Amino acid sequence: MIVGSNAKSLEERVFFALEEEILSGQLKKGDTLTEVALSARHGVSRTPLRGALHRLAEEGLIEIVPNRGAVVIGIGREELVDIYKIRMRLEGLASREAAEKISDKDIERLRDSIDLAEFYIKKQDTEHLKELDSEFHNVIYKASGNRMLCKTLSELHRNIQFYRKRSITVEGRLEKSISEHREILAALEQRNADEADRLTSLHIEAALENLLAVTDSEG
């Protein structure tokens, strides 16, 4: 077992590993995390492990329950809605700023990602489709030229990765999403900041409505 003065770096490593497992859905709501099992699995002593768990509790991803251990909470419905509300505003802003700065090369990258997405829909390849969706949005983030906006949106995307996987299983949503991407691209090509902002906000709103329909139907 690893011990010593590098406890802080070990705490970081365990924190990010557990955070990723929770956000990706590997660890599910209600799962119990015991110190003994986690210590053995991650090869660390109790000190950095406890530090990592307390940080996860501060983030609201777990709850530390006396005599039981840590229980996974994850991102719930309320947090999901909050994240999408923030995304509506910030992604709209990113598209607005991108419309004023985007290069022809980035326009071509967006077009290519949409064309590829249509190809992979026919193949029913959801993994590639998820990657292409992320790529489409990331190109716009970077094209905005706003480093802090790009960082914030990338983090929000990471927090909802588990839900995004579930949303693409809804029949017809992928085709609708790609159609919405084409509309956003057209606004960016025309350098129409108002329209790019409006269409992007509507796109995120539609994604939320779709996702809530899925999660609410599953209880």
Side-chain angles (χ1 to χ4, degrees):
M1 184 172 292
I2 304 170
V3 292
S5 60
N6 62 342
K8 194 67 181 176
S9 64
L10 292 174
E11 177 185 312
E12 289 277 315
R13 177 168 67 79
V14 176
F15 168 76
F16 285 119
L18 290 174
E19 183 187 49
E20 179 62 24
E21 288 177 5
I22 293 170
L23 294 177
S24 67
Q26 290 174 260
L27 289 173
K28 296 177 171 52
K29 183 176 181 179
D31 284 352
T32 299
L33 310 177
T34 64
E35 288 188 7
V36 173
L38 289 174
S39 181
R41 179 153 68 93
H42 292 278
V44 297
S45 65
R46 296 289 183 87
T47 299
L49 178 59
R50 286 173 179 168
L53 291 175
H54 279 292
R55 287 178 60 183
L56 290 168
E58 288 172 1
E59 296 242 340
L61 294 176
I62 67 170
E63 180 183 6
I64 297 175
V65 181
N67 303 318
R68 185 179 172 190
V71 179
V72 175
I73 298 173
I75 302 291
R77 189 185 193 279
E78 185 176 341
E79 291 84 7
L80 183 67
V81 171
D82 288 341
I83 288 171
Y84 270 83
K85 283 181 178 178
I86 296 168
R87 281 188 67 201
M88 282 180 218
R89 295 297 183 90
L90 294 188
E91 297 227 17
L93 175 61
S95 287
R96 171 177 291 277
E97 295 195 2
E100 299 166 353
K101 305 169 187 175
I102 195 165
S103 66
D104 290 341
K105 183 178 179 180
D106 281 338
I107 290 288
E108 193 61 34
R109 288 179 64 194
L110 292 174
R111 187 179 294 111
D112 288 345
S113 76
I114 293 171
D115 290 343
L116 275 172
E118 290 182 336
F119 170 78
Y120 283 117
I121 276 184
K122 294 173 185 176
K123 299 282 188 181
Q124 297 185 326
D125 188 333
T126 55
E127 277 305 307
H128 274 103
L129 287 165
K130 185 166 63 70
E131 290 171 10
L132 288 165
D133 180 73
S134 294
E135 180 184 336
F136 181 88
H137 289 280
N138 285 333
V139 170
I140 294 174
Y141 300 165
K142 291 174 183 175
S144 74
N146 188 323
R147 187 170 58 85
M148 293 307 297
L149 184 58
C150 184
K151 179 181 177 183
T152 301
L153 283 168
S154 295
E155 185 62 27
L156 289 173
H157 248 228
R158 182 170 177 267
N159 286 341
I160 56 171
Q161 57 183 292
F162 171 63
Y163 287 102
R164 289 180 65 233
K165 285 180 185 176
R166 295 168 72 185
S167 70
I168 64 175
T169 63
V170 176
E171 186 177 354
R173 178 55 201 163
L174 281 170
E175 291 84 354
K176 185 69 170 64
S177 179
I178 290 172
S179 175
E180 291 164 3
H181 281 185
R182 283 212 181 275
E183 292 175 348
I184 294 167
L185 173 58
L188 292 171
E189 287 180 294
Q190 295 161 13
R191 305 303 195 265
N192 188 332
D194 288 342
E195 188 69 352
D197 185 341
R198 184 183 74 82
L199 289 170
T200 302
S201 297
L202 287 174
H203 173 60
I204 302 304
E205 184 177 15
L208 173 60
E209 289 174 358
N210 173 74
L211 190 49
L212 291 180
V214 174
T215 56
D216 290 349
S217 68
E218 293 176 352

